[in-house]
Amino acid sequence: MIDCDYIIVGAGSAGCVLANRLSANPSNRVLLIEAGSRDWNPWLHIPLGYFKTMHDPNLDWCYMTEPDPGIGGRSLQWPRGKVLGGSSSLNGLLYVRGQPEDYDRWVALGNEGWSFDEVLAYFKKSEDNERGENEFHGVGGPQKVSDLRLRRPIADHFIQAANEIGIPFNQDYNGALQEGVGYFQQTASKGFRWSTARGFLRPVKHRHNLKILTNAQVTRLLLDGHRVTGLEYRRGGDIHSVNAAAEVILSAGAINTPQILQCSGIGDPGLLESVGVQTRHSLPGVGKNLQDHLQIRLVFKTSERTLNDELNNPLKKLKVGLQYLFTRTGPLTLAASQVTIFTRSSASAVRPDIQFHMQPLSADKPGEGVHPFSAFTASVCQLRPFSRGEIRIKSADPMEYPAIMPNYLSDDRDCQVAIDGIKLARRIAKAPSLKKHIIEEYIPGHQYQSDEELLEAARQYSQTIYHPTCSCKMGLDDFAVVDARLRVHGLEKLRIADASIMPEIVSGNTNAPTIMIGEKAADMILEDNRR
């Protein structure tokens, strides 16, 4: 049996941050447990590599949702990183913090210490932004943030078209104001992906007080009454146990964290009883309140050449590879999208409630190749959906995947925003700077016109943006799982620090906020244990 002070479960966007910060004190014995492998695969370090690594069972959990009535009974693939760095090693590299009001809302829901003014310090602490330091950005942190190393004319046309319909250009959507259109920044440096494994873990992996255990899947927590004493994990077919003198911190993500809790007998007694798990601690909110961003994809065929042409031509493909090899620029440095818009779906919205992701290419799914014609993609998602889903284990077997039920578009308010989002995308496409380059709307197509038809298009042509959150929410109500210091309600020596603790999903991509959660959690853990 291994003994240590802190056990961190999951080497993902928050877990790597925690491992770095908690092991900075040489007297703290830290164990980081990761179900996946080391990040040796070269595609993990090339930005466009997500086309290769998503859906690879060696690197990706390859989750599937349950059939969802809100999207026509379809099941969606939910990639999640199963490797050092977690989903920060597989994601689209987009660096977005959300809106200040998101965090102030968390405080209004009873979570003291999480206002934007308070969390901004942690965003800056992590960051090493190539644009330099200012009121909103930091330099010298472990997380590299850079501008895109690729520009294509169709993206500039898209920005100009947005300007023409009244959406202003915004140089920094992570600055004083999120609203507007502009180019994304990405978690990359000099043409390489900068996962949290690379930024936070690699520089400290040789610390004598930090042990990193890969290919080890946690099966259950060990409890002595209401005190968590350690955990069990499976590695190489054998079951091992480990004790934590100080705390166990779950950073396994919005799917695995509630699964581990439920398999340990912590959750809704009704669910646990139905699958043959003895209830050790009643906590009905575990797995509830699941939220995700659902993107509605519009694809436009163009007369302007796009990346589809470069990636479909063998000679141009060779050129792309050589460009990356010798200059670390070009299409292989591409993040999941080039251009973003944060704007309002209607005049009644008090702040931006939708986000666009514009890509100078088009494909049915990542990893399946681009379309054989010139085209770009403009997807639109609701930033703060009202629909709520759930994560539920299906049996007592911790190796069986849980049921993922997003319940997309189950709230009428979400349906209306989806309709309005498609209408706005079409307005942008019809603006002069873009219209002259568009041949036709390929997806969903102009046969969808009425509100009822547009909602049907939203149900048919939507995909996740891979932002599962909120399934172990922070708060004080009956369905809250952790308090404002991320301690699990009613249990000792157990915290959660990952995207599952968000009480409400943030207004944007979720990687940067999850890194911030890891930073703030580390400070709280060290402070509480000094006391």
Side-chain angles (χ1 to χ4, degrees):
M1 177 180 288
I2 304 171
D3 287 300
C4 59
D5 296 308
Y6 298 100
I7 305 173
I8 304 162
V9 181
S13 296
C16 289
V17 178
L18 284 158
N20 179 302
R21 302 307 191 190
L22 296 183
S23 66
N25 182 339
S27 66
N28 290 334
R29 299 169 300 164
V30 179
L31 173 64
L32 177 63
I33 299 182
E34 168 56 43
S37 61
R38 300 267 172 175
D39 55 341
W40 287 326
N41 188 310
W43 284 110
L44 293 170
H45 306 288
I46 298 171
L48 197 63
Y50 58 82
F51 271 91
K52 295 282 189 181
T53 56
M54 278 189 184
H55 318 309
D56 178 347
N58 296 311
L59 304 170
D60 177 3
W61 285 94
C62 298
Y63 288 118
M64 293 288 296
T65 69
E66 300 297 300
D68 193 329
I71 53 172
R74 293 183 295 136
S75 296
L76 298 186
Q77 294 173 312
W78 269 26
R80 293 284 90 194
K82 191 179 182 182
V83 63
L84 288 183
S87 295
S88 77
S89 292
L90 266 67
N91 69 7
L93 297 89
L94 305 176
Y95 186 77
V96 180
R97 296 173 176 176
Q99 297 168 17
E101 295 92 338
D102 298 335
Y103 304 100
D104 294 340
R105 271 280 299 167
W106 292 7
V107 175
L109 293 170
N111 300 296
E112 184 180 351
W114 291 87
S115 71
F116 180 70
D117 286 344
E118 289 165 300
V119 303
L120 177 59
Y122 291 106
F123 281 117
K124 294 172 68 175
K125 180 180 180 180
S126 291
E127 192 179 15
D128 187 16
N129 198 306
E130 74 171 16
R131 294 182 184 174
E133 187 174 14
N134 61 29
E135 178 185 355
F136 295 99
H137 294 287
V139 296
Q143 184 61 60
K144 300 284 189 181
V145 178
S146 64
D147 292 324
L148 302 183
R149 297 168 74 86
L150 173 80
R151 293 286 179 94
R152 288 296 180 268
I154 196 68
D156 290 324
H157 302 328
F158 185 84
I159 290 173
Q160 291 161 5
N163 295 161
E164 288 164 355
I165 69 162
I167 299 172
F169 182 75
N170 187 344
Q171 177 68 20
D172 183 10
Y173 54 82
N174 288 318
L177 185 70
Q178 187 194 60
E179 192 162 8
V181 58
Y183 281 101
F184 275 108
Q185 281 203 301
Q186 58 184 355
T187 50
S189 178
K190 298 178 180 177
F192 289 104
R193 173 191 290 274
W194 211 263
S195 68
T196 54
R198 183 165 191 155
F200 289 86
L201 202 57
R202 186 180 294 184
V204 304
K205 65 181 181 180
H206 297 301
R207 285 177 178 167
H208 75 277
N209 62 324
L210 173 62
K211 182 176 178 61
I212 303 167
L213 198 61
T214 55
N215 300 301
Q217 184 169 345
V218 172
T219 55
R220 69 184 180 104
L221 301 173
L222 301 176
L223 284 85
D224 180 7
H226 290 288
R227 178 184 293 266
V228 174
T229 60
L231 53 80
E232 287 184 350
Y233 64 90
R234 180 174 296 185
R235 193 177 195 227
D238 298 321
I239 298 293
H240 307 269
S241 60
V242 55
N243 287 335
E247 294 191 25
V248 174
I249 305 117
L250 294 179
S251 296
I255 300 171
N256 294 101
T257 287
Q259 179 189 19
I260 291 168
L261 290 170
Q262 291 170 355
C263 286
S264 305
I266 303 166
D268 183 346
L271 166 64
L272 301 180
E273 181 181 350
S274 72
V275 296
V277 173
Q278 178 187 356
T279 300
R280 302 294 303 275
H281 180 63
S282 175
L283 208 54
V286 172
K288 304 288 202 308
N289 194 48
L290 177 67
Q291 296 168 45
D292 182 35
H293 288 138
L294 183 73
Q295 62 175 333
I296 303 155
R297 296 170 54 253
L298 289 91
V299 174
F300 297 90
K301 287 186 176 181
T302 63
S303 54
E304 175 85 48
R305 291 191 174 275
T306 68
L307 279 175
N308 287 9
D309 303 278
E310 296 174 59
L311 298 176
N312 279 320
N313 183 303
L315 288 177
K316 290 183 178 180
K317 211 170 182 178
L318 175 62
K319 182 181 177 182
V320 164
L322 293 173
Q323 183 181 5
Y324 181 78
L325 182 65
F326 290 108
T327 69
R328 295 289 183 265
T329 61
L332 285 177
T333 67
L334 183 70
S337 299
Q338 273 197 299
V339 176
T340 187
I341 297 174
F342 293 97
T343 190
R344 307 168 199 232
S345 62
S346 68
S348 63
V350 296
R351 56 186 172 114
D353 63 337
I354 57 174
Q355 179 186 9
F356 281 86
H357 290 72
M358 185 274 177
Q359 303 166 299
L361 56 80
S362 65
D364 290 326
K365 293 178 184 176
E368 294 190 2
V370 296
H371 289 140
F373 46 78
S374 303
F376 72 89
T377 305
S379 73
V380 58
C381 74
Q382 182 178 6
L383 288 170
R384 297 177 299 279
F386 294 93
S387 301
R388 298 290 184 266
E390 186 176 357
I391 303 288
R392 298 168 60 97
I393 55 171
K394 296 179 179 179
S395 74
D397 181 4
M399 309 308 284
E400 181 178 2
Y401 282 8
I404 302 170
M405 297 172 286
N407 294 335
Y408 290 125
L409 298 175
S410 56
D411 188 291
D412 288 342
R413 291 168 291 184
D414 297 347
C415 296
Q416 186 59 53
V417 173
I419 293 166
D420 293 339
I422 296 174
K423 290 178 178 178
L424 183 56
R426 286 178 168 176
R427 281 185 62 206
I428 296 170
K430 290 177 181 176
S433 291
L434 197 53
K435 181 179 179 180
K436 60 187 176 184
H437 300 288
I438 291 176
I439 297 172
E440 66 171 335
E441 180 183 298
Y442 177 67
I443 294 174
H446 280 290
Q447 66 270 32
Y448 297 93
Q449 289 295 329
S450 68
D451 282 6
E452 293 76 13
E453 290 167 342
L454 293 179
L455 180 56
E456 177 56 33
R459 297 192 192 283
Q460 183 177 347
Y461 294 105
S462 52
Q463 290 287 337
T464 175
I465 315 185
Y466 320 119
H467 296 164
T469 56
C470 307
S471 54
C472 293
K473 75 171 184 174
M474 173 172 57
L476 301 172
D477 62 78
D478 291 342
F479 282 91
V481 176
V482 298
D483 65 15
R485 297 191 74 79
L486 306 186
R487 299 169 296 203
V488 174
H489 287 300
L491 293 174
E492 298 176 35
K493 295 174 57 177
L494 179 64
R495 292 194 213 223
I496 300 173
D498 57 30
S500 72
I501 65 94
M502 296 182 187
E504 294 177 343
I505 195 168
V506 293
S507 302
N509 308 71
T510 52
N511 180 235
T514 305
I515 294 170
M516 176 276 292
I517 289 168
E519 288 278 23
K520 184 169 171 61
D523 265 11
M524 290 190 295
I525 290 165
L526 292 171
E527 181 182 349
D528 288 351
N529 281 283
R530 278 196 299 270
R531 291 172 181 168

